[in-house]
Amino acid sequence: MDPAARPIFSSIVLGSGTLAIACAQLAMEMGHVIGAALCTDAIFADWAARANILCIANVEELSTLLNTEPVDWIFSVANPLILRPDVFERARQGAFNYHDGPLPRYAGTHATSWALLAQETEHAVTWHRIDDGVDTGDVVVQRQVLIAPTDTAMTLNLKCYEAAIEGFRELLTGLKIGKLTAYPQALVNRSYFPKRRRPDAAGYLRWDRSAQDLSAMTRALDFGPYHANPLCLPKALVGDEAVAIRRLEVLPRRSGFPAGSLLEIHFSHWRVATGTQDVEVCFGSSDGRVLDARALARHSNLDEGSRLLILGDEQARSITAAHELLAPREDFWRRRLEQFRTLKFPFLSSSLSDAPPRWQSSSGVIPSALAKLSQNDCTEYLVTAWLIYLARITGETELQLGWKPASYGWQADLKAVEVLVAPAVPMEVTIDLARDFEEMRKAVAAEFAQLREHGSFARDLVARCPTLRGVEALRSHRPWPIGITLTTDSCSVAGDLKTSHRAGPALCGDLLTFEVCALDGSFRWHFDASRLAPKQIDRMTQHLQTLLHGVMADAGQPVRELAILPAAERAYLLEELNRTAAAYPSERCIHELFEQQVQKAPEAVALVFEDERLSYGELNARANRLAHHLIGLGVRPDQPVAICLERSPAMVVGLLAILKAGGAYLPLDPAYPCARLRQVVDDAAPRLLLCDAAGRAALGAEALADVSVVDLETVTPAWAELPACDPDPRALGLTARHLAYVIYTSGSTGTPKGAQNEHRAIINRLIWMQKAYALNATDVVLQKTPFGFDVSAWEFFWTLLEGATLVLAPPAAHKDPDALVNLIISRRITTAHFVPSMLVSFMDTNGVDRCTSLKRLVCSGEALPASLAQKVQRVLPWTGLHNLYGPTEAAIDVTAWTCPADFDGSVVPIGRPIANTRIYLLDAHGAPVPFGAVGELCIGGAGVARGYLNRPDL
């Protein structure tokens, strides 16, 4: 590399925030080349990247850089890192640091807050040389900053910010002209404030102090809404809670009442007596909102004339000491809390999360599998097994749980100290299911060490950090639903479950806490019985013991392969729940069963569309004539025949005719975009198309060029004089193993694919539906689902196989809830299908409560919200609600659930497998998951599709 081409690194800037950016920009304006920046926050790092300045991550990288590229100057601006002499001495002409206080007084951190607490009227900022002490180098520039009586930490910091930039300009000018005067600090006058130091009583207001002291405390701890508060919140101890002080105003008068007397209660504030003048106090919530002061008083059983607690000197010292003990660990916890996440526990039995919790504690268990282990090993085995179990049943491997930290043994027996400390902290463990148990145990042991080292954090940390303030769950005493606690109290004493509405001291999970006794290796559960059933706790105990036996039998296997299910539960899941065998006419085709119904009641009304009615006999005759025509055109079994029509009697005739001719209907919805229809036509390559004018327009002339078209709207159809008799399936070589339809998936997960479903699969589904819901000749079924969705198949064929009446909704009515309400009322509809998103609109429509004929509401296609199911029960109590689930690849539906009248669950289940269907819920590695846990749904049995059209690879 040409030495002349190498850049000249004249300066390096270290620091954070906009002040470091402003100083770096000023240096460049005054002729400095910024060769690199050591960025201690994202704000400065982003700026450096945009300015094409080399960004250094740490002091070690800086030292390496300076070994090869010495510079003239190092400028440290809002920089929390301490530089070693071997680093700053490599600056050829000097290294300088900015300090936001008047050195040698107010050395250390948070100088502006300490000056406000001391009620100073003058302040200053300082630029000084860096030496081997902290803030001890020679002063080169110092600029005075006046403190106003109303200044807060935020406003004083802004004044210092401006003074810092002007001071830096003065520094750069002195460097440029070679006239920079430096003088040593008078260290005899030095005062130093370490980072861990905290104000008196950690910000709790002591009402017997002067009003000026209380005002100074409140202002010194007010960093504004957008900046982190690195010290603590100003707060009052009100009842059992610490309430943040948003504003405190000193009044000109003194009431003469004892300090701490609550003199007046207003919506916006309280008036409180102090050691001198009275003060007005406004309160704020942890998310920064103003609190209703009257509601706060009511909640705390306070009235005008009540006295607030006054802290004694010893109590205040204990609170301060506790906070200072927690302070060095705050950055660790803040980083964890910024990654806040919770587990969704799969076994919830109710949605009553807003009801008061009913805490229960299970009897303790000493796992027999761990009998030969030491106490410490026993604890680690239990916690590791529990975490593996959670990963297995939730499908989540990066776990964050609530952990109850060890007690620090606070000296003051005071509620203020208890309120100060977070009762639960985040435990983090990644469970690698491919690893063995011993490797996971080591990870848990490492996390134990981290938790012991860092203890807990001040509870107001969340409210002090803008990045955490908006996370609602973190404002709770127990943000994590699942918690773990280690105790020295034996869990193994047998006894009945204990019930309470108050959380015990062991609880650190909002739903469930796993408690392990470190003395005897026992464990038990504390849980909210309003959301988690005791029988589920018993099952989890069995699961955990099964897993532990597997560990002791073979600890070297990947933890994903450890058995969780006892033999009885495994047999229940795999066999008992899948005992669905039922007889059905598996050898018959759909249209054959329709033809049997025609013979039973040929005059019965089969189809209603607007003013048109068709009897079973008429519908069958029309379909037969068209079917004979299609047979003459060469339709054969398994051949896809496209059909693109608006909803009308011709659509139903066309579907039946295709089936009778032996073909498989391929529905093309004319409401779809032309490109989507062309995609399906190109993939399926049908040789024949049944359509009407809407179908022609939707497909376009180009798509019609390669297919023979049968126009069902022609005035004199070619098949009008053909026989009305049923075609003989045997003569056509047609069996129930041939295709009934090919329906293309939505393509939401990739390219749409044509699922091929056979007659026998659809017959199984329809016969099951009849046994489950008992349709009869008096029933009226609404057909509104576009026929490109497989739900339409049961609307058409279940109705026509059972002798009921099919009412076709007008083409666009399925999107119009008002039209549907009117249609259901006028036609006395008894059975209708809705996807839940449409059901929401339907239930909100005027007149829905007049749909008194409606006996059955069937839902599928989307998850049915529990709140919507409960609304249907309230508004239409005479209507049965049925939730069905099934993919297009499995003959419409494979599971079913009927909503009970008293349903209050949080989740609507998809139910149990239908007839001749097997359902397995498996984890990512093919093992069955416990009943109610998260898993992949695997389907077997009569309904499974043959495969995808023209996709043998799938």
Side-chain angles (χ1 to χ4, degrees):
M1 181 176 179
D2 181 3
R6 293 171 61 187
I8 299 172
F9 295 145
S10 63
S11 299
I12 288 178
V13 178
L14 293 68
S16 62
T18 58
L19 182 57
I21 295 171
C23 290
Q25 289 173 326
L26 181 58
M28 289 190 293
E29 290 171 10
M30 296 183 68
H32 284 249
V33 175
I34 307 298
L38 196 164
C39 306
T40 60
D41 76 344
I43 295 173
F44 190 31
D46 289 345
W47 174 83
R50 291 195 302 272
N52 294 318
I53 293 173
L54 175 65
C55 193
I56 301 170
N58 52 52
V59 175
E60 293 304 321
E61 284 189 24
L62 175 61
S63 178
T64 301
L65 176 67
L66 290 173
N67 278 332
T68 57
E69 301 287 351
V71 295
D72 294 323
W73 314 104
I74 293 176
F75 301 118
S76 172
V77 188
N79 167 41
L81 305 175
I82 296 176
L83 297 184
R84 304 187 306 266
D86 67 304
V87 175
F88 65 75
E89 288 175 355
R90 291 204 186 104
R92 287 189 293 251
Q93 309 215 32
F96 300 93
N97 179 63
Y98 164 70
H99 182 68
D100 60 349
L103 296 178
R105 297 173 61 235
Y106 294 103
T109 58
H110 319 312
T112 51
S113 290
W114 294 114
L116 288 168
L117 282 165
Q119 301 180 48
E120 302 277 9
T121 58
E122 290 184 1
H123 196 59
V125 299
T126 306
W127 286 92
H128 65 92
R129 289 188 181 275
I130 299 175
D131 62 12
D132 55 1
V134 178
D135 297 336
T136 58
D138 292 352
V139 174
V140 291
V141 174
Q142 196 164 82
R143 286 193 163 244
Q144 185 186 48
V145 177
L146 297 178
I147 299 178
T150 57
D151 268 335
T152 64
M154 181 183 72
T155 60
L156 184 54
N157 282 332
L158 287 173
K159 290 180 179 180
C160 291
Y161 183 101
E162 295 169 356
I165 295 173
E166 291 309 309
F168 189 55
R169 187 188 302 275
E170 182 180 340
L171 169 62
L172 294 176
T173 302
L175 295 175
K176 183 176 182 179
I177 64 177
K179 292 183 178 180
L180 192 66
T181 303
Y183 60 88
Q185 298 185 40
L187 296 180
V188 68
N189 298 324
R190 174 178 166 86
S191 57
Y192 178 73
F193 296 85
K195 186 176 181 181
R196 65 177 290 173
R197 184 166 171 181
R198 292 297 182 263
D200 178 53
Y204 277 109
L205 298 191
R206 302 175 67 183
W207 302 108
D208 56 345
R209 298 300 175 89
S210 71
Q212 288 71 26
D213 286 349
L214 302 183
S215 173
M217 177 74 78
T218 305
R219 291 182 291 109
L221 299 177
D222 180 359
F223 290 82
Y226 306 113
H227 297 280
N229 177 335
L231 289 170
C232 52
L233 289 180
K235 47 193 169 286
L237 188 62
V238 181
D240 291 342
E241 298 180 29
V243 185
I245 304 295
R246 188 180 178 92
R247 182 180 61 83
L248 184 145
E249 181 179 344
V250 179
L251 300 176
R253 61 188 179 279
R254 179 173 185 170
S255 63
F257 282 90
S261 296
L262 188 50
L263 305 174
E264 295 176 4
I265 298 174
H266 300 276
F267 171 79
S268 60
H269 66 276
W270 293 352
R271 184 162 70 89
V272 183
T274 73
T276 56
Q277 298 106 300
D278 300 342
V279 294
E280 280 187 0
V281 185
C282 297
F283 301 96
S285 63
S286 57
D287 60 352
R289 293 178 295 110
V290 177
L291 285 181
D292 180 339
R294 285 186 300 210
L296 175 62
R298 285 195 302 271
H299 176 73
S300 305
N301 296 317
L302 293 173
D303 298 307
E304 292 181 357
S306 300
R307 286 195 70 186
L308 302 175
L309 177 69
I310 295 179
L311 299 176
D313 290 342
E314 183 179 350
Q315 295 170 326
R317 280 193 293 271
S318 292
I319 294 171
T320 307
H323 213 127
E324 290 180 349
L325 185 62
L326 301 172
R329 300 155 171 102
E330 282 194 348
D331 286 345
F332 173 84
W333 291 120
R334 176 185 51 77
R335 288 191 296 270
R336 280 211 170 177
L337 293 170
E338 284 174 346
Q339 303 302 316
F340 175 78
R341 56 185 178 272
T342 61
L343 277 177
K344 187 173 182 180
F345 202 63
F347 301 134
L348 297 185
S349 58
S350 172
S351 61
L352 299 176
S353 56
D354 295 333
R358 289 191 297 111
W359 293 110
Q360 289 191 8
S361 299
S362 72
S363 299
V365 177
I366 297 180
S368 57
L370 307 182
K372 296 181 180 179
L373 296 181
S374 68
Q375 292 172 352
N376 184 62
D377 285 350
C378 216
T379 298
E380 289 182 2
Y381 268 65
L382 277 169
V383 174
T384 305
W386 170 232
L387 295 173
I388 291 169
Y389 177 71
L390 282 175
R392 293 273 299 271
I393 66 171
T394 62
E396 300 288 341
T397 56
E398 294 186 358
L399 307 180
Q400 190 180 84
L401 306 158
W403 173 269
K404 182 173 175 56
S407 170
Y408 279 94
W410 312 112
Q411 295 302 308
D413 182 17
L414 184 68
K415 198 71 179 177
V417 177
E418 183 182 328
V419 169
L420 171 75
V421 183
V425 300
M427 175 190 198
E428 287 188 355
V429 176
T430 297
I431 300 298
D432 186 342
L433 296 174
R435 302 287 184 178
D436 63 30
F437 187 86
E438 186 59 29
E439 290 176 286
M440 290 299 94
R441 186 166 78 100
K442 289 177 181 177
V444 170
E447 176 63 5
F448 279 178
Q450 289 250 66
L451 295 169
R452 283 193 297 268
E453 178 185 353
H454 292 94
S456 186
F457 55 88
R459 189 178 286 172
D460 68 1
L461 175 64
V462 171
R464 291 189 278 121
C465 295
T467 54
L468 303 178
R469 203 178 292 145
V471 184
E472 183 177 356
L474 288 177
R475 301 174 211 147
S476 162
H477 287 194
R478 292 182 299 278
W480 297 273
I482 313 298
I484 298 178
T485 183
L486 302 186
T487 67
T488 54
D489 299 325
S490 176
C491 305
S492 60
V493 178
D496 295 332
L497 293 174
K498 300 172 184 177
T499 304
S500 172
H501 288 285
R502 294 182 61 82
L507 294 184
C508 53
D510 186 56
L511 170 71
L512 174 69
T513 297
F514 182 61
E515 180 185 1
V516 177
C517 174
L519 291 182
D520 62 8
S522 60
F523 71 88
R524 63 176 169 174
W525 316 88
H526 307 278
F527 60 100
D528 179 3
S530 67
R531 291 181 286 159
L532 195 55
K535 64 182 180 181
Q536 182 58 52
I537 298 296
D538 294 338
R539 289 178 55 226
M540 289 196 304
T541 299
Q542 295 174 21
H543 296 159
L544 197 58
Q545 298 224 63
T546 302
L547 191 152
L548 287 168
H549 279 290
V551 169
M552 301 311 292
D554 181 5
Q557 62 183 310
V559 296
R560 69 186 178 212
E561 296 177 9
L562 290 168
I564 289 177
L565 301 176
E569 185 174 354
R570 182 181 177 87
Y572 175 73
L573 291 171
L574 299 183
E575 302 299 331
E576 186 62 31
L577 291 180
N578 285 308
R579 295 192 194 284
T580 60
Y584 74 102
S586 59
E587 75 289 352
R588 306 305 295 273
C589 294
I590 296 170
H591 56 278
E592 289 183 277
L593 297 184
F594 165 68
E595 290 161 0
Q596 289 180 2
Q597 188 59 48
V598 171
Q599 293 174 5
K600 291 179 184 176
E603 303 303 321
V605 176
L607 190 65
V608 175
F609 178 69
E610 296 178 343
D611 296 330
E612 185 176 359
R613 289 172 175 260
L614 284 181
S615 70
Y616 271 83
E618 291 169 328
L619 176 60
N620 191 48
R622 289 192 188 183
N624 284 340
R625 292 188 181 99
L626 177 57
H628 287 296
H629 180 65
L630 298 179
I631 293 168
L633 293 176
V635 172
R636 295 292 181 267
D638 274 355
Q639 177 185 329
V641 177
I643 177 168
C644 189
L645 294 90
E646 282 192 326
R647 189 182 298 111
S648 65
M651 172 192 282
V652 184
V653 169
L655 296 178
L656 285 170
I658 294 170
L659 296 179
K660 286 169 174 281
Y665 72 83
L666 173 70
L668 303 173
D669 190 337
Y672 276 11
C674 180
R676 158 75 189 217
L677 296 176
R678 284 300 309 270
Q679 188 179 31
V680 172
V681 169
D682 290 345
D683 184 71
R687 290 181 294 177
L688 195 62
L689 166 70
L690 279 58
C691 72
D692 58 7
R696 283 181 179 275
L699 285 163
E702 187 178 350
L704 298 173
D706 298 326
V707 64
S708 298
V709 177
V710 176
D711 190 341
L712 298 191
E713 285 189 326
T714 182
V715 177
T716 55
W719 55 92
E721 302 302 324
L722 292 180
C725 60
D726 300 329
D728 182 2
R730 280 150 294 283
L732 299 173
L734 178 64
T735 73
R737 290 182 176 271
H738 285 114
L739 296 180
Y741 60 69
V742 178
I743 288 183
Y744 273 71
T745 60
S746 64
S748 59
T749 57
T751 304
K753 301 178 290 292
Q756 305 179 98
N757 286 272
E758 299 174 353
H759 280 265
R760 59 178 181 156
I762 312 303
I763 290 291
N764 177 68
R765 167 63 176 72
L766 298 177
I767 297 301
W768 163 82
M769 197 169 195
Q770 178 60 14
K771 290 179 179 177
Y773 306 132
L775 205 67
N776 61 48
T778 65
D779 277 300
V780 182
V781 178
L782 177 62
Q783 201 292 301
K784 68 177 186 61
T785 305
F787 72 160
F789 293 95
D790 59 357
V791 166
S792 64
W794 72 250
E795 290 177 336
F796 290 122
F797 302 122
W798 181 37
T799 308
L800 296 176
L801 266 57
E802 302 302 334
T805 300
L806 187 68
V807 172
L808 301 180
H814 63 280
K815 298 179 180 179
D816 184 347
D818 289 304
L820 292 176
V821 167
N822 292 332
L823 191 61
I824 289 170
I825 294 171
S826 63
R827 296 295 187 184
R828 302 294 296 166
I829 301 293
T830 65
T831 306
H833 172 271
F834 283 89
V835 293
S837 54
M838 185 60 188
L839 183 58
V840 171
S841 301
F842 177 74
M843 294 304 299
D844 288 339
T845 304
N846 288 333
V848 69
D849 56 342
R850 294 192 291 115
C851 295
T852 54
S853 62
L854 203 55
K855 295 194 295 186
R856 306 173 193 88
L857 267 181
V858 181
C859 280
S860 65
E862 300 166 354
L864 175 61
S867 58
L868 180 57
Q870 290 153 7
K871 183 172 184 177
V872 171
Q873 292 174 311
R874 291 193 306 271
V875 178
L876 302 173
W878 53 82
T879 304
L881 178 63
H882 310 284
N883 190 43
L884 276 62
Y885 167 80
T888 307
E889 296 85 348
I892 314 173
D893 297 301
V894 292
T895 65
W897 175 81
T898 295
C899 186
D902 58 350
F903 174 67
D904 67 349
S906 59
V907 176
V908 172
I910 62 171
R912 300 289 178 85
I914 68 168
N916 300 303
T917 303
R918 296 179 72 87
I919 299 292
Y920 303 99
L921 204 59
L922 308 179
D923 64 20
H925 309 288
V929 300
F931 188 71
V934 174
E936 185 77 18
L937 196 69
C938 298
I939 302 166
V944 176
R946 180 189 295 179
Y948 296 109
L949 185 65
N950 300 327
R951 294 296 301 273
D953 55 315
L954 299 178

